[in-house]
Amino acid sequence: MAESLNEFKILYCHIVEPRMKSVFEKVDCLDSLVPMRKAFKGTFISAGGYGREDGNKAVAENRTDLVTYGRLFLANPDLPKRFELNAPLNKYDMSTFYIRDPVVGYTDYPFLETTI
């Protein structure tokens, strides 16, 4: 499949890795997407419960070009700064992910307070 996408000059391929056994439990599968990564010639983007360290490692080991951080980014609107400073992360609340309230869950997570 990934190889056939090259014929259409697709810009990127965004894949969710089967890294999560549950919302709270990760499963190691370091090689799961490597064959697709090697076959696809465009930008390869991976998702699947990554944190700062394992996301950086996946890029450093050339298993992906970019890593997405869905739930972590939702709960940490300043995620790049937190990663840069290795600061603690807000925990996300899945019970607020798909509710009608326009504020609760999507815009009420606190930003990191720094003196920098």
Side-chain angles (χ1 to χ4, degrees), residues 70-115:
R71 291 175 283 215
L72 286 184
F73 227 127
L74 178 66
N76 298 276
D78 51 0
L79 188 64
K81 181 55 102 177
R82 288 176 189 258
F83 277 4
E84 178 185 338
L85 299 174
N86 201 20
L89 301 176
N90 296 323
K91 299 221 182 296
Y92 53 83
D93 179 2
M94 289 188 70
S95 70
T96 65
F97 279 8
Y98 302 103
I99 62 174
R100 291 180 175 228
D101 192 310
V103 176
V104 174
Y106 282 96
T107 61
D108 63 341
Y109 288 99
F111 282 82
L112 182 65
E113 293 186 26
T114 66
T115 56

Side-chain angles (χ1 to χ4, degrees), residues 57-75:
K57 185 176 179 183
V59 173
E61 293 176 352
N62 200 31
R63 289 185 279 124
T64 193
D65 293 309
L66 300 168
V67 173
T68 61
Y69 299 94
R71 291 175 283 215
L72 286 184
F73 227 127
L74 178 66

Side-chain angles (χ1 to χ4, degrees), residues 18-34:
R19 295 170 28 92
M20 302 302 291
K21 188 172 186 178
S22 72
V23 174
F24 307 105
E25 187 179 358
K26 288 185 185 181
V27 175
D28 283 334
C29 57
L30 297 177
D31 299 321
S32 67
L33 296 181
V34 172

